[in-house]
Amino acid sequence: MPDLDSGHIFLTTLAPIKPGAPKDDPQTSFEQRARIALAELPTAHQSPATEHTKFNSPFARNTRNHLARMFVLSDVVYNGRNTQNTLVARFRRSPPPIIPQHVDELKTPYLVFCADVDAVLKDGDRLPTTLSAEQQREVRASYAGELWRTMEEELRAVYSNCYGFEHVNSAEQFGDYLDKCHVETTMPFHDYYLELPEFHNLPLTQLIIGAVAPLAIGLFSLVLWLFGIATVPFLGLSSLATGLFAILLGLVLAVIFIRYAIQNGEKPLAPAKYDDLPSVLKALYLQQKFADFFVENQAKSDTDLYAAFGDFMSEHEPLNTRVKTQKPGVISSTHPGNVNS
């Protein structure tokens, strides 16, 4: 299913950027102003180079973003000429290679926003296995509202350079705006599975036999009819009628089976047990704390180790994802400021 997989919404929106420049700043185009606004967004504390910078990414202000990316798309990439067989092109009298082919171009630059978020209406909800189109729209609207509440200033600085944003003044209107810019996404951005789920396997052999068997019977019956045998042996049915009916049945079954295969492939995978962002952050926190515990308790007796592990469990509360967990947008739980305590 587009946009939804493993309990997450894979959001992609393209907002067209205005042409020209504002009257109060004619030297800077709207496209350049959008690029400047994006450049001014602080980077998350996601690497040693950015870990100690003063400000964190505004997307780290909520606990739904697994990934978020914004960029300006000025035009599509030219992948070169459409290839063709030289001999075939010669016989078809295709235009010679020296004549340029049509090149796709965008009519305006776009502000592209991609996000991988928990498909929930409010924090703490369980990740869903499947959602209808309307439920997906509600999740996108809820996420847009969360963005508006946590980073309205930054959103205005970037999106004020785009068509239609001048009418956006609330979280609900921002959700409607993003929905107009929404395009379907068919490729997930992440995979947290500890154990792979059972995929939607097709009974391929049975499907092939189910479609081919009537076609084979139909062809056999038509061959009998061509050789003047009016009835099918053992069945006593008209060979012509049987052949036509069997072939028609085989074609209908083939269409049904193909549609079934496509629908089966569109089913989203179920979410993993610890796939939501709070669980991922808690896992990162526990991973680091348990590494420290392992180092600090080398060579201890069984009794002391047992007691120390009990203290570790009491202090860090592994099943509680709301406290003693790593904050979003940071690379390490070492600094106390990076921990929700």
Side-chain angles (χ1 to χ4, degrees):
M1 178 182 291
D3 296 324
L4 176 70
D5 204 23
S6 65
H8 301 92
I9 288 290
F10 302 95
L11 176 67
T12 302
T13 65
L14 278 75
I17 296 176
K18 301 174 185 177
K23 294 180 180 179
D24 59 347
D25 185 14
Q27 305 303 319
T28 308
S29 67
F30 285 107
E31 179 181 353
Q32 186 60 27
R33 288 166 64 91
R35 292 182 182 276
I36 292 173
L38 290 177
E40 291 177 345
L41 291 179
T43 304
H45 297 167
Q46 58 195 13
S47 67
T50 62
E51 188 175 5
H52 302 293
T53 55
K54 183 177 181 180
F55 299 104
N56 202 343
S57 169
F59 289 101
R61 297 172 191 164
N62 70 71
T63 55
R64 297 191 195 181
N65 292 301
H66 292 258
L67 175 148
R69 184 186 182 196
M70 273 185 173
F71 60 94
V72 173
L73 179 64
S74 296
D75 211 337
V76 292
V77 175
Y78 176 59
N79 290 319
R81 293 178 60 89
N82 296 326
T83 59
Q84 56 184 345
N85 185 288
T86 304
L87 294 178
V88 173
R90 180 68 175 176
F91 283 110
R92 289 181 177 178
R93 297 183 178 180
S94 300
I98 61 173
I99 298 178
Q101 293 179 341
H102 171 75
V103 177
D104 292 328
E105 294 179 304
L106 296 178
K107 293 182 178 179
T108 184
Y110 285 85
L111 174 65
V112 183
F113 174 42
C114 302
D116 170 5
V117 300
D118 289 341
V120 296
L121 293 177
K122 62 180 186 296
D123 293 347
D125 287 351
R126 293 177 60 87
L127 297 181
T129 298
T130 185
L131 292 173
S132 66
E134 178 59 25
Q135 288 172 325
Q136 287 192 37
R137 192 196 67 77
E138 292 175 357
V139 168
R140 295 197 302 269
S142 174
Y143 172 65
E146 188 72 11
L147 286 182
W148 188 263
R149 286 186 289 273
T150 55
M151 53 179 295
E152 177 185 348
E153 181 180 350
E154 290 86 354
L155 291 174
R156 286 189 179 277
V158 178
Y159 278 98
S160 60
N161 302 289
C162 300
Y163 277 112
F165 188 77
E166 58 272 10
H167 305 298
V168 175
N169 292 296
S170 68
E172 182 179 2
Q173 290 174 342
F174 181 63
D176 292 338
Y177 181 78
L178 281 190
D179 209 50
K180 293 177 182 178
C181 301
H182 167 248
V183 294
E184 289 187 346
T185 303
T186 56
M187 184 178 68
F189 307 145
H190 80 261
D191 179 8
Y192 289 132
Y193 284 115
L194 298 175
E195 297 179 0
L196 287 177
E198 182 178 349
F199 287 86
H200 310 303
N201 296 322
L202 286 172
L204 191 59
T205 301
Q206 293 87 334
L207 293 178
I208 292 176
I209 292 175
V212 171
L215 294 175
I217 293 174
L219 290 174
F220 175 71
S221 300
L222 290 180
V223 169
L224 293 179
W225 177 74
L226 289 174
F227 280 93
I229 302 175
T231 59
V232 180
F234 306 109
L235 296 179
L237 301 175
S238 167
S239 56
L240 177 60
T242 301
L244 295 177
F245 176 78
I247 289 177
L248 178 62
L249 177 62
L251 294 176
V252 171
L253 289 176
V255 172
I256 293 174
F257 294 159
I258 291 172
R259 290 177 62 88
Y260 169 74
I262 293 174
Q263 292 174 355
N264 190 70
E266 289 178 344
K267 293 178 182 177
L269 292 175
K273 189 175 181 179
Y274 305 107
D275 238 9
D276 59 295
L277 185 62
S279 295
V280 172
L281 294 172
K282 184 72 174 187
L284 292 173
Y285 169 84
L286 288 173
Q287 180 187 54
Q288 296 165 78
K289 297 304 178 184
F290 192 73
D292 295 337
F293 171 85
F294 183 84
V295 172
E296 293 166 359
N297 289 275
Q298 292 290 312
K300 282 191 175 181
S301 66
D302 294 349
T303 303
D304 291 341
L305 182 60
Y306 183 85
F309 185 69
D311 294 338
F312 176 88
M313 296 290 287
S314 299
E315 179 183 357
H316 300 294
E317 303 182 51
L319 298 181
N320 191 340
T321 60
R322 296 185 178 275
V323 298
K324 299 294 183 180
T325 183
Q326 184 167 303
K327 290 182 177 180
V330 298
I331 194 175
S332 170
S333 300
T334 303
H335 192 280
N338 292 347
V339 176
N340 284 324
S341 58

